[in-house]
Amino acid sequence: MDVGTMTLRGGAVSTAGDSVAGERAAGDRMALDGAAVTQVFRERYTELVGLAGLLLADRGAAEEVVQDAFAKFHLSRHRVTDPDREVAYLRSIVCNLSRGRLRRRALERRRRPVPERDEDARPDAALARHQRDVVAAALARLPRRQRECVVLRYWLDLPEREIAATLGIAPGSVKSHLHRGLAALESRLEELR
Amino acid sequence: MNDAEDRVRAALADLAPAAPADAAAHAGLHRAIARRRRRRTTGRIAAAVLVLAALAGGRAVFDARDAEGPAGYSIEPGGRTGTAPEPGTGTASTTPGSASPDGHVTFGPVAFDLPAGWRSVLNADGSLCLAAADRPGPQWDGCAGLRLYRGELPGYEGAPYEDHGPWGFATSTDPVACPVAGGDVGGDVGPATDDVVVPAEAGTEPIDEGFRPVGDRTATYDQWFARCSLSSYTFTPRAWHLPESDVLIVDVFRQPETEQILASFTFTDG
């Protein structure tokens, strides 16, 4: 099943076989758009879940955010006139939605403490978990912009110019955020050596 | 390649979750699309109801059951004045507004005078929009003039408002369409959806900050710079924050009457 086989007209879901002659052009356009979005979904989903997962430290929330981002992208894709900017637009949406999710999570935690989780007590699993926890904690402790810049640079290998376009900030600000973020992470990673 | 960068890359690669674009992911995508379409439909219905209510003319009374805003706020005929009750109480915090010939408005702990030809409109989120009734121009979040907030003051991307922080006027978490088309404020004032608001070299930090008078009090003041990504349009939003009164005044497009309105502010909170 993919987005391309589900077209939407006037709020009703129909298949390609239900196209009405007078609406065929609109239906075909939406079907083509759906097929293109499906392709981008297959190509970029894993990468974007990694991005959201690093920003949110939560795989389940990351998948929800990315699926919502693709939904928003699908419904507002007509706004992006340059196909080369589509992936950058998607990344922006993922970063924006992740921010909103983090804010809501902070509010919920103030109202409701997070319960302890059951964990594997074997020594090697515990060590790996500890190392991962140190990295995750160090990343979470970074100010939001530094965290976003660090993840986009060192997880997605984006150049600074592309990071600036994704986040809507100046390239000089990206450079500054990266410098500080890297320095902060490096000092925390030293203790794992 | 830098050793520190290598270690960070390896750490992030180890930490990042891996999720395939499988059937479950596709199913999640379809659910997300359906949710967004339902929200759009609900929003359009709500907007249509408000438009019909406005077209009915005369008094428009917002009931707490029907709107998210405070109950009991009334827009007087001509829309020149109104009073806004305390949020959540459902009653007016001051004497219910009857149209004052000089356009006096009370909004929680503050009161001020509107210039001739201006009107105030209460939004569903409890904020006020003050604008000249017959002046075409760009709008920001549906308001062409000044926006007043009280209580929970929204800031950059929906976070709480922060003095001297980044883009305090931009509360949306999504890219915002340029408020004008073709960079020509005097001509077409419709939004250009392919052209979005982005920072310039100054970034989202204030280009001017400090303190400014509002009535007989002093507000923290910030000014930012924003531009549109494709057109030549630029604008310099400003904000005045009164922390004791918990009031925020935002002027996105620099109305000529702003300083006059701010000078007329009086306070009932001590």
Side-chain angles (χ1 to χ4, degrees), chain B residues 166-194:
Chain B
W167 272 17
F169 67 98
T171 59
S172 170
T173 58
D174 295 330
V176 178
C178 186
V180 300
D184 180 5
V185 177
D188 183 356
V189 294
T193 55
D194 292 338

PDB file of all heavy atoms in Angstrom, chain B residues 166-194:
ATOM      1  N   PRO B 166      15.295  35.115  20.871  1.00  0.00           N
ATOM      2  CA  PRO B 166      15.101  35.085  19.423  1.00  0.00           C
ATOM      3  C   PRO B 166      13.650  35.355  19.046  1.00  0.00           C
ATOM      4  O   PRO B 166      12.737  35.007  19.785  1.00  0.00           O
ATOM      5  CB  PRO B 166      15.527  33.658  19.054  1.00  0.00           C
ATOM      6  CG  PRO B 166      15.327  32.861  20.292  1.00  0.00           C
ATOM      7  CD  PRO B 166      15.580  33.793  21.437  1.00  0.00           C
ATOM      8  N   TRP B 167      13.431  35.988  17.936  1.00  0.00           N
ATOM      9  CA  TRP B 167      12.156  36.200  17.243  1.00  0.00           C
ATOM     10  C   TRP B 167      10.906  35.985  18.096  1.00  0.00           C
ATOM     11  O   TRP B 167      10.105  35.091  17.860  1.00  0.00           O
ATOM     12  CB  TRP B 167      12.097  35.254  16.038  1.00  0.00           C
ATOM     13  CG  TRP B 167      12.700  35.825  14.807  1.00  0.00           C
ATOM     14  CD1 TRP B 167      13.554  36.906  14.714  1.00  0.00           C
ATOM     15  CD2 TRP B 167      12.498  35.357  13.489  1.00  0.00           C
ATOM     16  NE1 TRP B 167      13.881  37.127  13.406  1.00  0.00           N
ATOM     17  CE2 TRP B 167      13.245  36.200  12.625  1.00  0.00           C
ATOM     18  CE3 TRP B 167      11.758  34.317  12.937  1.00  0.00           C
ATOM     19  CZ2 TRP B 167      13.274  36.013  11.251  1.00  0.00           C
ATOM     20  CZ3 TRP B 167      11.791  34.137  11.566  1.00  0.00           C
ATOM     21  CH2 TRP B 167      12.535  34.983  10.743  1.00  0.00           C
ATOM     22  N   GLY B 168      10.733  36.871  19.062  1.00  0.00           N
ATOM     23  CA  GLY B 168       9.593  36.723  19.966  1.00  0.00           C
ATOM     24  C   GLY B 168       8.243  36.864  19.289  1.00  0.00           C
ATOM     25  O   GLY B 168       7.220  36.505  19.863  1.00  0.00           O
ATOM     26  N   PHE B 169       8.195  37.389  18.081  1.00  0.00           N
ATOM     27  CA  PHE B 169       6.928  37.596  17.366  1.00  0.00           C
ATOM     28  C   PHE B 169       6.503  36.361  16.576  1.00  0.00           C
ATOM     29  O   PHE B 169       5.369  36.261  16.136  1.00  0.00           O
ATOM     30  CB  PHE B 169       7.082  38.762  16.379  1.00  0.00           C
ATOM     31  CG  PHE B 169       8.032  38.465  15.260  1.00  0.00           C
ATOM     32  CD1 PHE B 169       7.579  38.051  14.012  1.00  0.00           C
ATOM     33  CD2 PHE B 169       9.407  38.562  15.449  1.00  0.00           C
ATOM     34  CE1 PHE B 169       8.464  37.747  12.989  1.00  0.00           C
ATOM     35  CE2 PHE B 169      10.300  38.263  14.438  1.00  0.00           C
ATOM     36  CZ  PHE B 169       9.826  37.852  13.201  1.00  0.00           C
ATOM     37  N   ALA B 170       7.439  35.392  16.394  1.00  0.00           N
ATOM     38  CA  ALA B 170       7.185  34.253  15.496  1.00  0.00           C
ATOM     39  C   ALA B 170       6.827  33.023  16.321  1.00  0.00           C
ATOM     40  O   ALA B 170       7.699  32.250  16.708  1.00  0.00           O
ATOM     41  CB  ALA B 170       8.422  33.994  14.643  1.00  0.00           C
ATOM     42  N   THR B 171       5.546  32.862  16.607  1.00  0.00           N
ATOM     43  CA  THR B 171       5.127  31.793  17.512  1.00  0.00           C
ATOM     44  C   THR B 171       4.844  30.472  16.801  1.00  0.00           C
ATOM     45  O   THR B 171       4.671  29.450  17.453  1.00  0.00           O
ATOM     46  CB  THR B 171       3.860  32.217  18.274  1.00  0.00           C
ATOM     47  OG1 THR B 171       2.821  32.508  17.322  1.00  0.00           O
ATOM     48  CG2 THR B 171       4.132  33.464  19.110  1.00  0.00           C
ATOM     49  N   SER B 172       4.788  30.488  15.489  1.00  0.00           N
ATOM     50  CA  SER B 172       4.496  29.256  14.766  1.00  0.00           C
ATOM     51  C   SER B 172       5.717  28.345  14.726  1.00  0.00           C
ATOM     52  O   SER B 172       6.851  28.824  14.654  1.00  0.00           O
ATOM     53  CB  SER B 172       4.075  29.576  13.328  1.00  0.00           C
ATOM     54  OG  SER B 172       4.006  28.391  12.561  1.00  0.00           O
ATOM     55  N   THR B 173       5.491  27.023  14.773  1.00  0.00           N
ATOM     56  CA  THR B 173       6.598  26.080  14.653  1.00  0.00           C
ATOM     57  C   THR B 173       6.863  25.701  13.203  1.00  0.00           C
ATOM     58  O   THR B 173       7.827  25.005  12.910  1.00  0.00           O
ATOM     59  CB  THR B 173       6.315  24.782  15.436  1.00  0.00           C
ATOM     60  OG1 THR B 173       5.103  24.205  14.943  1.00  0.00           O
ATOM     61  CG2 THR B 173       6.181  25.054  16.914  1.00  0.00           C
ATOM     62  N   ASP B 174       6.024  26.138  12.294  1.00  0.00           N
ATOM     63  CA  ASP B 174       6.177  25.794  10.877  1.00  0.00           C
ATOM     64  C   ASP B 174       6.655  27.007  10.083  1.00  0.00           C
ATOM     65  O   ASP B 174       6.508  28.143  10.532  1.00  0.00           O
ATOM     66  CB  ASP B 174       4.832  25.344  10.288  1.00  0.00           C
ATOM     67  CG  ASP B 174       4.352  24.058  10.924  1.00  0.00           C
ATOM     68  OD1 ASP B 174       5.215  23.265  11.322  1.00  0.00           O
ATOM     69  OD2 ASP B 174       3.129  23.869  11.019  1.00  0.00           O
ATOM     70  N   PRO B 175       7.200  26.792   8.900  1.00  0.00           N
ATOM     71  CA  PRO B 175       7.553  27.943   8.050  1.00  0.00           C
ATOM     72  C   PRO B 175       6.326  28.807   7.809  1.00  0.00           C
ATOM     73  O   PRO B 175       5.227  28.304   7.592  1.00  0.00           O
ATOM     74  CB  PRO B 175       8.020  27.270   6.751  1.00  0.00           C
ATOM     75  CG  PRO B 175       8.459  25.912   7.143  1.00  0.00           C
ATOM     76  CD  PRO B 175       7.574  25.509   8.282  1.00  0.00           C
ATOM     77  N   VAL B 176       6.524  30.135   7.837  1.00  0.00           N
ATOM     78  CA  VAL B 176       5.411  31.079   7.676  1.00  0.00           C
ATOM     79  C   VAL B 176       5.515  31.740   6.309  1.00  0.00           C
ATOM     80  O   VAL B 176       6.590  32.197   5.914  1.00  0.00           O
ATOM     81  CB  VAL B 176       5.445  32.151   8.789  1.00  0.00           C
ATOM     82  CG1 VAL B 176       4.326  33.162   8.602  1.00  0.00           C
ATOM     83  CG2 VAL B 176       5.327  31.489  10.154  1.00  0.00           C
ATOM     84  N   ALA B 177       4.409  31.781   5.607  1.00  0.00           N
ATOM     85  CA  ALA B 177       4.395  32.418   4.289  1.00  0.00           C
ATOM     86  C   ALA B 177       4.683  33.896   4.421  1.00  0.00           C
ATOM     87  O   ALA B 177       4.312  34.543   5.406  1.00  0.00           O
ATOM     88  CB  ALA B 177       3.036  32.211   3.629  1.00  0.00           C
ATOM     89  N   CYS B 178       5.356  34.457   3.421  1.00  0.00           N
ATOM     90  CA  CYS B 178       5.630  35.889   3.402  1.00  0.00           C
ATOM     91  C   CYS B 178       4.318  36.643   3.501  1.00  0.00           C
ATOM     92  O   CYS B 178       3.355  36.312   2.812  1.00  0.00           O
ATOM     93  CB  CYS B 178       6.367  36.257   2.111  1.00  0.00           C
ATOM     94  SG  CYS B 178       6.914  37.979   2.058  1.00  0.00           S
ATOM     95  N   PRO B 179       4.242  37.697   4.335  1.00  0.00           N
ATOM     96  CA  PRO B 179       2.970  38.398   4.503  1.00  0.00           C
ATOM     97  C   PRO B 179       2.532  39.179   3.283  1.00  0.00           C
ATOM     98  O   PRO B 179       1.385  39.597   3.210  1.00  0.00           O
ATOM     99  CB  PRO B 179       3.216  39.336   5.683  1.00  0.00           C
ATOM    100  CG  PRO B 179       4.617  39.220   6.071  1.00  0.00           C
ATOM    101  CD  PRO B 179       5.262  38.155   5.281  1.00  0.00           C
ATOM    102  N   VAL B 180       3.440  39.433   2.336  1.00  0.00           N
ATOM    103  CA  VAL B 180       3.040  40.131   1.110  1.00  0.00           C
ATOM    104  C   VAL B 180       3.563  39.349  -0.077  1.00  0.00           C
ATOM    105  O   VAL B 180       4.452  38.514   0.045  1.00  0.00           O
ATOM    106  CB  VAL B 180       3.595  41.576   1.055  1.00  0.00           C
ATOM    107  CG1 VAL B 180       3.105  42.393   2.216  1.00  0.00           C
ATOM    108  CG2 VAL B 180       5.101  41.574   1.009  1.00  0.00           C
ATOM    109  N   ALA B 181       2.982  39.654  -1.232  1.00  0.00           N
ATOM    110  CA  ALA B 181       3.428  39.012  -2.465  1.00  0.00           C
ATOM    111  C   ALA B 181       4.239  40.013  -3.265  1.00  0.00           C
ATOM    112  O   ALA B 181       3.888  41.166  -3.368  1.00  0.00           O
ATOM    113  CB  ALA B 181       2.226  38.540  -3.278  1.00  0.00           C
ATOM    114  N   GLY B 182       5.363  39.577  -3.801  1.00  0.00           N
ATOM    115  CA  GLY B 182       6.151  40.429  -4.691  1.00  0.00           C
ATOM    116  C   GLY B 182       6.864  41.559  -3.999  1.00  0.00           C
ATOM    117  O   GLY B 182       7.428  42.419  -4.637  1.00  0.00           O
ATOM    118  N   GLY B 183       6.887  41.548  -2.661  1.00  0.00           N
ATOM    119  CA  GLY B 183       7.634  42.572  -1.945  1.00  0.00           C
ATOM    120  C   GLY B 183       7.052  43.963  -2.052  1.00  0.00           C
ATOM    121  O   GLY B 183       7.715  44.937  -1.719  1.00  0.00           O
ATOM    122  N   ASP B 184       5.798  44.099  -2.472  1.00  0.00           N
ATOM    123  CA  ASP B 184       5.226  45.425  -2.694  1.00  0.00           C
ATOM    124  C   ASP B 184       4.072  45.637  -1.715  1.00  0.00           C
ATOM    125  O   ASP B 184       2.961  45.189  -1.942  1.00  0.00           O
ATOM    126  CB  ASP B 184       4.725  45.547  -4.138  1.00  0.00           C
ATOM    127  CG  ASP B 184       4.128  46.918  -4.424  1.00  0.00           C
ATOM    128  OD1 ASP B 184       4.199  47.796  -3.537  1.00  0.00           O
ATOM    129  OD2 ASP B 184       3.585  47.104  -5.523  1.00  0.00           O
ATOM    130  N   VAL B 185       4.361  46.301  -0.596  1.00  0.00           N
ATOM    131  CA  VAL B 185       3.336  46.494   0.416  1.00  0.00           C
ATOM    132  C   VAL B 185       2.207  47.347  -0.110  1.00  0.00           C
ATOM    133  O   VAL B 185       1.037  47.141   0.206  1.00  0.00           O
ATOM    134  CB  VAL B 185       3.943  47.153   1.680  1.00  0.00           C
ATOM    135  CG1 VAL B 185       2.866  47.419   2.711  1.00  0.00           C
ATOM    136  CG2 VAL B 185       4.996  46.252   2.271  1.00  0.00           C
ATOM    137  N   GLY B 186       2.513  48.311  -0.948  1.00  0.00           N
ATOM    138  CA  GLY B 186       1.466  49.209  -1.429  1.00  0.00           C
ATOM    139  C   GLY B 186       0.557  48.570  -2.446  1.00  0.00           C
ATOM    140  O   GLY B 186      -0.521  49.052  -2.723  1.00  0.00           O
ATOM    141  N   GLY B 187       0.983  47.457  -3.021  1.00  0.00           N
ATOM    142  CA  GLY B 187       0.187  46.814  -4.065  1.00  0.00           C
ATOM    143  C   GLY B 187      -0.518  45.587  -3.541  1.00  0.00           C
ATOM    144  O   GLY B 187      -1.378  45.666  -2.674  1.00  0.00           O
ATOM    145  N   ASP B 188      -0.103  44.439  -4.004  1.00  0.00           N
ATOM    146  CA  ASP B 188      -0.745  43.188  -3.616  1.00  0.00           C
ATOM    147  C   ASP B 188      -0.349  42.812  -2.204  1.00  0.00           C
ATOM    148  O   ASP B 188       0.812  42.640  -1.911  1.00  0.00           O
ATOM    149  CB  ASP B 188      -0.298  42.094  -4.609  1.00  0.00           C
ATOM    150  CG  ASP B 188      -0.976  40.781  -4.332  1.00  0.00           C
ATOM    151  OD1 ASP B 188      -1.724  40.691  -3.358  1.00  0.00           O
ATOM    152  OD2 ASP B 188      -0.736  39.848  -5.109  1.00  0.00           O
ATOM    153  N   VAL B 189      -1.310  42.717  -1.313  1.00  0.00           N
ATOM    154  CA  VAL B 189      -0.979  42.387   0.059  1.00  0.00           C
ATOM    155  C   VAL B 189      -1.323  40.946   0.388  1.00  0.00           C
ATOM    156  O   VAL B 189      -1.357  40.570   1.544  1.00  0.00           O
ATOM    157  CB  VAL B 189      -1.708  43.328   1.048  1.00  0.00           C
ATOM    158  CG1 VAL B 189      -1.207  44.728   0.883  1.00  0.00           C
ATOM    159  CG2 VAL B 189      -3.219  43.258   0.854  1.00  0.00           C
ATOM    160  N   GLY B 190      -1.570  40.147  -0.614  1.00  0.00           N
ATOM    161  CA  GLY B 190      -1.872  38.752  -0.335  1.00  0.00           C
ATOM    162  C   GLY B 190      -0.601  37.975  -0.013  1.00  0.00           C
ATOM    163  O   GLY B 190       0.471  38.317  -0.488  1.00  0.00           O
ATOM    164  N   PRO B 191      -0.700  36.906   0.752  1.00  0.00           N
ATOM    165  CA  PRO B 191       0.491  36.126   1.105  1.00  0.00           C
ATOM    166  C   PRO B 191       1.000  35.317  -0.080  1.00  0.00           C
ATOM    167  O   PRO B 191       0.225  34.881  -0.914  1.00  0.00           O
ATOM    168  CB  PRO B 191       0.000  35.207   2.220  1.00  0.00           C
ATOM    169  CG  PRO B 191      -1.472  35.117   2.023  1.00  0.00           C
ATOM    170  CD  PRO B 191      -1.903  36.409   1.414  1.00  0.00           C
ATOM    171  N   ALA B 192       2.280  35.173  -0.170  1.00  0.00           N
ATOM    172  CA  ALA B 192       2.906  34.382  -1.228  1.00  0.00           C
ATOM    173  C   ALA B 192       3.405  33.095  -0.590  1.00  0.00           C
ATOM    174  O   ALA B 192       4.342  33.111   0.176  1.00  0.00           O
ATOM    175  CB  ALA B 192       4.070  35.148  -1.837  1.00  0.00           C
ATOM    176  N   THR B 193       2.741  31.966  -0.897  1.00  0.00           N
ATOM    177  CA  THR B 193       3.021  30.765  -0.128  1.00  0.00           C
ATOM    178  C   THR B 193       4.324  30.088  -0.493  1.00  0.00           C
ATOM    179  O   THR B 193       4.807  29.266   0.256  1.00  0.00           O
ATOM    180  CB  THR B 193       1.868  29.763  -0.282  1.00  0.00           C
ATOM    181  OG1 THR B 193       1.663  29.522  -1.675  1.00  0.00           O
ATOM    182  CG2 THR B 193       0.595  30.293   0.344  1.00  0.00           C
ATOM    183  N   ASP B 194       4.913  30.434  -1.646  1.00  0.00           N
ATOM    184  CA  ASP B 194       6.206  29.848  -1.960  1.00  0.00           C
ATOM    185  C   ASP B 194       7.331  30.651  -1.348  1.00  0.00           C
ATOM    186  O   ASP B 194       8.475  30.246  -1.349  1.00  0.00           O
ATOM    187  CB  ASP B 194       6.405  29.812  -3.481  1.00  0.00           C
ATOM    188  CG  ASP B 194       5.460  28.826  -4.136  1.00  0.00           C
ATOM    189  OD1 ASP B 194       4.979  27.920  -3.432  1.00  0.00           O
ATOM    190  OD2 ASP B 194       5.216  28.969  -5.341  1.00  0.00           O
TER     191      ASP B 194
END
